[in-house]
Amino acid sequence: MFKNISSILVLLCISTWMNAQYCFPTYSIACSSSAYIEYFSATGGVTAISNLLSGCNGGLPNNYIQVNQTVAQIQGLSFNFSVQAGAAFGQGHRIWIDWNQDLDFADPGEDVYVSPSSGTQAYTGTITVPVTAVPGITRMRVLCRYATVPGITDYCGTNFSFGECEDYYMNVIPSTPCSGQPTAGSVTPSSMTLCAGQTANLSLIGAVYQGNMTYQWQQSTNGGATWVNAVGGIGSNSPGFQTPSLNATIMYRMYMVCNNSNLADTTGPMTITVSGPSYATLPYVQDFETWTNFCGSQDVPNDYHWSNNPNTGNNSWRRNDEGNTANWLSNTFGMYYPSASSNTYSARFHSYYTNLTGDLDLFIDCSQQLGTKTMFFDYINDNSAGWGFDFLEVLLSTNGGLSFTTLGTFNSSTTWQNFSLPIVSNDPNTVIRFRGHGDFQFDTDFGIDNINVLAPCTGTPNAGSIANILPCANTPFNLTLTGNTLAGGLNYNWESAPTATGPWTALGVTVGPSYNTQISTPTYFRCIVDCPSSGFSDTTAALYVDLASFYYCYCISQALPPSFYFQNIGNVTIFDAQNSVLLNNGNAAPLLNNASPIYTYQTFANTVAPVNIYRDSTYSLFQTSIAQSSFFYNGYTTVYIDYNRDGVFDPANEMILGGVVNTPTQQMSGNFTVPANAQYGLTGMRLVYQIFGSSTSNNPCGTYSYGETEDYLVNIAFASM
């Protein structure tokens, strides 16, 4: 009977406050195009709020909605919140709570949060209920403004442009001092089943909330035989608790203490059943060729050592060609080339269309071989356009995923690069998390491939040899070992010298068999590989690294990663005066609806034989472009030959051709004559095809919005007698 009366009183209070007359802000533009509050949650209280993917609510002029959800908390205790805008346009956020229930947000202390900036990322924080807050149901206001951090009085501001205002209920529970035996009630829900990587929100029913109480959530991973304080999650010392991402079956209960009487009460346990992955043994290799259903459609590699959270949506990982199984929007967009570092496929994160995070977790048993392990992986994320800020974060858990530490973050990588990280764990329940951070910039996706987790080294390692390389002067390059021992925990000590016999200078120590450096003169390198656990080491032979010829080292020229206008050079053909074909590279069929235009730069200096040309001779060049879509956008192509072989394409004297590329032929053509003073020998030829380009905008160096650059070699030869 008492419970029914209490429920009626709460409903009456809510009804009263729903009809209370708070002022509202006004906007001049409807909250469309993601200029709104997309996600708001409040956890760790007696009750929680979860208003996710809410979209645009209300209409002009207020862009306002009253959400029928309540967060409840005791005077003096705190709750956590998270607020995030739609993915396309950054918003600033502010939160107010009417603590004294006087129908405004103007009193001191009622401005409870302001975001440090405007953006599309999640903003999080903690709000503490003042001990002086009036008990009962009151109003909480959450407001956003486009590209602006809201001011302290903006709860009723006027004539904002884009944005949204959402009101929620706040139930302030009085902190009447506790006495005697506390009542913990029971946990709700009493049981549940989750997929690996998901979280749960737990609260209490039938509990009596009073002041000077201690709340402690406890967990058991062995069926209730032993209990420890809850690890990870949000609100483990509050009446409401959000668990961490769970990967194995676990039990929770609440332990409640009245600090005035030193008496305690404990709820019965609740069980969360988790269908978790199996733990892989070492060494472990994964190249992401085949995926299968686990918690979603084609959401994990088919060895079942992985989980994927969320298992669907734009922020869910997928094999690079299977974004449709996660319901990715614009699933074929997002610059991503090549599609894999080995074989055909890779694991891809669709940051092109999300500003959220997504976790791809690998489960490894690290207890069979004691010592430091090493993980190698390949990574690509072409942010050369300059506006992308998505990145990969790699984290490690040694307790089955209840808590994580960050091992490293990885930003732009214009092509597939190999990275290595030490895995310091001897735990049988080790989890390596690949967390994608999206940016929703309509530019590129990023991905990982060729995962290799190695057991600790033993005995004497084999250093192998340093692979041959021919770098350009003062340009970064990677030294890489080949034929070496692959094991975890190895140290790679890199050294350089002016001669094969020294003197040797230490460069640095890496956890993987590669080292990034640059040189201005020819240099010798070697690597000392040591296994700390055994105390043995091995040293490579010295490698002489010379500098590449000038015709491999021209200035950078390339298009930015395209989000639209996927058009490339399809074919380049050169004829001599007798109409003999000297060069015929590429396939320009079909002109439209061609899947091939995915490049921003290609060099054929090493793969296509140099074209022999002669002084005072005239040649015809044809360049044909292709497009992914059924529509072709006009462009402009310029062609350069480094006639004086000085390593520079002089736009004034060495541009041999230039012309528009438009429909219906999608072709630029023209004749050029090799000057009489051209220097004999191999030299470079460059084609710069720029969509929307012109004779004034095309340049032999630098980046441009859309199109492609291609490099070739020509040989200015002596005429045969």
Side-chain angles (χ1 to χ4, degrees), residues 23 84 161 232 246 288 295 298 302 401 493 531 619-620 622 684 692:
C23 61
Q84 186 169 12
S161 58
L246 299 175
F288 301 108
C295 294
Q298 298 295 103
N302 69 340
N493 305 272
C531 175
Y619 302 88
S620 300
F622 296 81
F692 311 124

Side-chain angles (χ1 to χ4, degrees), residues 635-638 640 655 659-660 690-699:
Y636 197 92
T637 296
T638 47
Y640 308 86
M655 188 184 81
V660 296
Q690 183 178 352
I691 304 171
F692 311 124
S694 68
S695 59
T696 57
S697 66
N698 278 35
N699 291 290

Side-chain angles (χ1 to χ4, degrees), residues 580-697:
S580 298
V581 177
L582 304 183
L583 173 67
N584 184 8
N585 186 54
N587 182 4
L591 292 176
L592 302 175
N593 299 308
N594 191 319
S596 301
I598 56 176
Y599 303 98
T600 59
Y601 170 80
Q602 292 188 89
T603 178
F604 299 99
N606 293 305
T607 57
V608 174
V611 179
N612 286 325
I613 57 176
Y614 303 95
R615 289 178 174 180
D616 296 318
S617 298
T618 300
Y619 302 88
S620 300
L621 185 147
F622 296 81
Q623 180 263 305
T624 307
S625 294
I626 53 177
Q628 274 194 13
S629 72
S630 59
F631 186 85
F632 186 80
Y633 296 89
N634 292 342
Y636 197 92
T637 296
T638 47
V639 186
Y640 308 86
I641 294 180
D642 181 14
Y643 283 132
N644 64 3
R645 303 182 73 241
D646 66 348
V648 176
F649 293 114
D650 180 355
N653 300 306
E654 295 180 331
M655 188 184 81
I656 65 168
L657 285 174
V660 296
V661 184
N662 54 24
T663 56
T665 63
Q666 298 175 199
Q667 187 176 85
M668 184 278 295
S669 63
N671 298 327
F672 67 94
T673 300
V674 180
N677 62 349
Q679 299 297 303
Y680 292 116
L682 287 173
T683 193
M685 179 177 73
R686 170 167 290 177
L687 287 84
V688 179
Y689 164 58
Q690 183 178 352
I691 304 171
F692 311 124
S694 68
S695 59
T696 57
S697 66

